[in-house]
Amino acid sequence: MSKSKIAVLVIEDEAPIRRFLKMTLTSQGYDFSEAVSGQEGMLKVASEKPDIIILDLGLPDMDGLEVTKQLREWTPTPIIVLSARGQEKDKVEALDAGADDYLTKPFGVAELMARARVALRRTMTSSNGETQSVFKFGDVEVDFVKRQVTKAGKELHLTPIEYKLLATLIKYADRVVTHNHLLREAWGSEYSGETHYLRVYMAQLRRKLEKNPAQPKYLITEPGVGYRLKVSQ
Amino acid sequence: MSKSKIAVLVIEDEAPIRRFLKMTLTSQGYDFSEAVSGQEGMLKVASEKPDIIILDLGLPDMDGLEVTKQLREWTPTPIIVLSARGQEKDKVEALDAGADDYLTKPFGVAELMARARVALRRTMTSSNGETQSVFKFGDVEVDFVKRQVTKAGKELHLTPIEYKLLATLIKYADRVVTHNHLLREAWGSEYSGETHYLRVYMAQLRRKLEKNPAQPKYLITEPGVGYRLKVSQ
DNA sequence: CCGAGTCTTTACGGAATCTTTATGCACAAC
DNA sequence: GTTGTGCATAAAGATTCCGTAAAGACTCGG
């Protein structure tokens, strides 16, 4: 399963709240990351590309509103704001600055989780991912949203392993992917060394995707190393 | 269609609040529309296709949670929930049912407006296509407002689970929906892994909807992955 | 309390997929 | 020329997954 975890970045200076959120989020299966200041937070948003940001407005180094505005200049990642101040004016300012939600401390963790799910629901279902949803080479098209492959417009059926294998090669298009790497991604880490499976499945993929399977144009063998999906030129 | 104004639908039984919202919204340049019951509200969502819905949970004729869930079966239009109950449990339930935000009465109108702007900001930027309240494939028609299914004009009875299953497949039309995803949406998260339920119910749906259930044209199996409602081509 | 409708559970034949085995080819090393 | 290694391909065997029918359990209104 190549389903990576959902990554949450918590920008919060108070250690107890950070610890608390870390416990809750990790126990619910999220990938947790933290920053203790606005500066560090913005850097981590850029470097780690979290799926959602939980931001305390009362940071020591800079105004939380300013953090929100600056983030919104370049990223649409959902931001849930936490604040000790419950005045309506504060809420309106933060929401208009680009925050997606606003919770007043002390907040209930169940509500925070529910509101995080709301924010994530949007970004997940809307098809505007940073990864292109359709990949093409030759007359083959791979639609990752539909999980469907077509060749010359005609639908093509791939088995789960064939699909994962192809998806991995596309992920590293034009680069060589080693035998073990492919085995790990398509089968699982415990299959390292079973390079024979690869030969069988690469042959199947070629039969389905290549015009002349014996002289592949796209699914290239790199002897002794692995395979490569050739798309350039 | 050249819709200049943003249309807001308010579903609320208390006249004073309705009047108040009408004043505020029209003065801010929104197109205002209202419904006094859940039934009327759902009909107006289908007929008027508002850009955003403000929904009071405490309606006389039906549970607001149920309204939210039924709307979410076919439309992604933002829903902001108003409620007199401020318990965390109520908020979580409403948000997980599909609401985009939850305000406890008495609420500040500035905050409501700000939260409406947040919800609108998201849908306006992402190119969300219009959703229809009636979905068709082959000679089958599904009316999400009446909750009624017809085949070749003849009314067809589906059990609650059959209906939810079909509604979920329609929501992700042409996309592969995994076993667990279907189980979560139609049965609930605690049913993950009970894939044999799906086999039983997919067979029932095929018997009712397909001309030749043994060779389905629309309800397609994706072995080892899930199912897909095929409507294109 | 009963019965209709619905959900849950079970069983099994068959289909699809994964795994294993076998054979042949190309090429390099010796 | 022989040998060995890595690869391609086909096909058989093993396993998992799916479709179907039917029976048992549950729910709810009357």
Side-chain angles (χ1 to χ4, degrees):
Chain A
M1 213 48 131
S2 62
K3 187 203 300 180
S4 51
K5 289 184 187 175
I6 292 168
V8 183
L9 172 64
V10 173
I11 310 177
E12 163 71 73
D13 60 315
E14 298 176 52
I17 297 184
R18 274 208 316 275
R19 256 206 319 278
F20 178 56
L21 288 178
K22 177 173 189 174
M23 261 186 46
T24 312
L25 287 164
T26 50
S27 78
Q28 307 232 350
Y30 293 100
D31 232 1
F32 176 88
S33 166
E34 60 189 13
V36 299
S37 72
Q39 279 299 335
E40 188 193 354
M42 291 199 290
L43 287 174
K44 286 210 172 180
V45 172
S47 61
E48 299 176 1
K49 299 190 200 310
D51 297 298
I52 185 168
I53 301 162
I54 296 176
L55 168 67
D56 185 358
L57 274 197
L59 296 170
D61 64 330
M62 60 188 294
D63 186 11
L65 267 186
E66 197 49 41
V67 177
T68 307
K69 284 180 194 165
Q70 289 195 23
L71 285 174
R72 274 295 167 268
E73 283 171 7
W74 64 275
T75 177
T77 308
I79 301 175
I80 296 184
V81 154
L82 305 178
S83 168
R85 306 179 58 181
Q87 301 296 320
E88 193 170 19
K89 182 169 155 292
D90 299 311
K91 297 187 191 177
V92 173
E93 273 183 1
L95 293 169
D96 280 339
D100 291 82
D101 212 329
Y102 188 107
L103 272 86
T104 309
K105 296 187 198 175
F107 55 87
V109 72
E111 181 179 352
L112 173 61
M113 290 294 111
R115 288 184 181 273
R117 284 193 294 274
V118 170
L120 288 166
R121 202 160 58 200
R122 290 228 174 265
T123 49
M124 295 299 164
T125 51
S126 77
S127 52
N128 60 348
E130 46 200 295
T131 49
Q132 202 167 356
S133 61
V134 178
F135 189 94
K136 302 178 189 180
F137 61 94
D139 58 353
V140 175
E141 294 193 17
V142 183
D143 188 321
F144 288 105
V145 176
K146 294 183 183 173
R147 194 203 177 276
Q148 185 177 243
V149 183
T150 59
K151 179 176 163 67
K154 262 181 59 184
E155 271 184 39
L156 204 60
H157 178 71
L158 297 190
T159 73
I161 286 186
E162 287 167 2
Y163 183 81
K164 274 190 228 167
L165 196 54
L166 179 59
T168 305
L169 286 167
I170 289 175
K171 192 160 125 195
Y172 300 98
D174 274 326
R175 284 181 274 170
V176 180
V177 192
T178 64
H179 295 134
N180 276 340
H181 195 326
L182 286 169
L183 286 165
R184 270 201 311 276
E185 292 230 11
W187 277 265
S189 54
E190 66 274 23
Y191 282 74
S192 268
E194 308 274 5
T195 57
H196 183 67
Y197 288 5
L198 279 178
R199 284 199 279 278
V200 174
Y201 275 82
M202 287 303 296
Q204 286 174 1
L205 273 182
R206 281 173 178 149
R207 200 162 45 221
K208 291 185 177 182
L209 301 175
E210 295 273 2
K211 193 183 298 179
N212 183 358
Q215 283 163 20
K217 256 184 85 176
Y218 305 105
L219 299 164
I220 308 297
T221 302
E222 296 285 347
V225 186
Y227 292 89
R228 178 167 63 95
L229 178 68
K230 185 175 171 187
V231 292
S232 65
Q233 287 169 17
Chain B
M1 64 165 75
S2 62
K3 190 192 322 186
S4 53
K5 288 186 184 176
I6 292 169
V8 184
L9 173 64
V10 173
I11 309 177
E12 162 72 75
D13 61 316
E14 297 177 53
I17 298 184
R18 269 205 321 271
R19 258 205 320 278
F20 177 56
L21 288 177
K22 179 172 187 174
M23 264 185 45
T24 313
L25 287 163
T26 48
S27 77
Q28 306 231 349
Y30 293 100
D31 230 1
F32 176 88
S33 166
E34 61 189 12
V36 299
S37 71
Q39 278 300 331
E40 189 194 352
M42 292 199 290
L43 286 172
K44 288 210 170 179
V45 173
S47 60
E48 299 177 0
K49 300 190 197 310
D51 297 299
I52 185 166
I53 301 161
I54 296 177
L55 169 68
D56 184 358
L57 274 198
L59 296 171
D61 64 329
M62 60 187 296
D63 186 12
L65 266 185
E66 195 51 37
V67 178
T68 308
K69 284 183 195 165
Q70 291 194 22
L71 286 174
R72 275 293 168 269
E73 281 171 3
W74 63 277
T75 179
T77 308
I79 300 175
I80 297 185
V81 154
L82 306 178
S83 169
R85 306 180 59 181
Q87 301 294 321
E88 193 171 22
K89 184 170 153 289
D90 298 312
K91 298 187 192 178
V92 173
E93 271 183 0
L95 294 169
D96 280 338
D100 291 82
D101 212 331
Y102 187 109
L103 271 86
T104 308
K105 295 187 196 176
F107 55 88
V109 71
E111 179 178 354
L112 174 61
M113 290 295 111
R115 289 187 181 272
R117 284 193 295 274
V118 170
L120 287 165
R121 193 164 65 200
R122 280 191 295 243
T123 48
M124 293 304 166
T125 50
S126 77
S127 55
N128 255 335
E130 290 223 349
T131 49
Q132 296 291 331
S133 56
V134 178
F135 189 93
K136 303 177 190 182
F137 61 94
D139 59 352
V140 176
E141 293 193 20
V142 183
D143 187 320
F144 287 106
V145 178
K146 295 185 195 163
R147 296 178 77 74
Q148 193 183 79
V149 182
T150 59
K151 179 177 163 65
K154 262 181 58 184
E155 192 175 337
L156 202 61
H157 176 71
L158 297 189
T159 72
I161 286 187
E162 287 167 3
Y163 182 82
K164 270 190 231 169
L165 196 53
L166 180 59
T168 305
L169 286 168
I170 290 174
K171 195 155 113 191
Y172 299 97
D174 273 325
R175 288 188 253 172
V176 177
V177 192
T178 64
H179 296 133
N180 277 339
H181 194 325
L182 286 169
L183 285 165
R184 271 201 313 273
E185 292 231 10
W187 276 267
S189 54
E190 66 274 23
Y191 282 75
S192 268
E194 309 275 1
T195 55
H196 59 281
Y197 286 10
L198 280 176
R199 288 202 283 277
V200 173
Y201 275 81
M202 287 302 297
Q204 287 174 2
L205 274 181
R206 281 174 178 149
R207 203 160 41 223
K208 293 184 177 182
L209 301 175
E210 294 273 3
K211 193 183 299 178
N212 183 359
Q215 283 164 19
K217 255 185 88 178
Y218 304 105
L219 300 165
I220 307 296
T221 302
E222 297 282 346
V225 185
Y227 292 89
R228 177 164 64 95
L229 178 67
K230 185 176 170 186
V231 292
S232 69
Q233 286 169 11

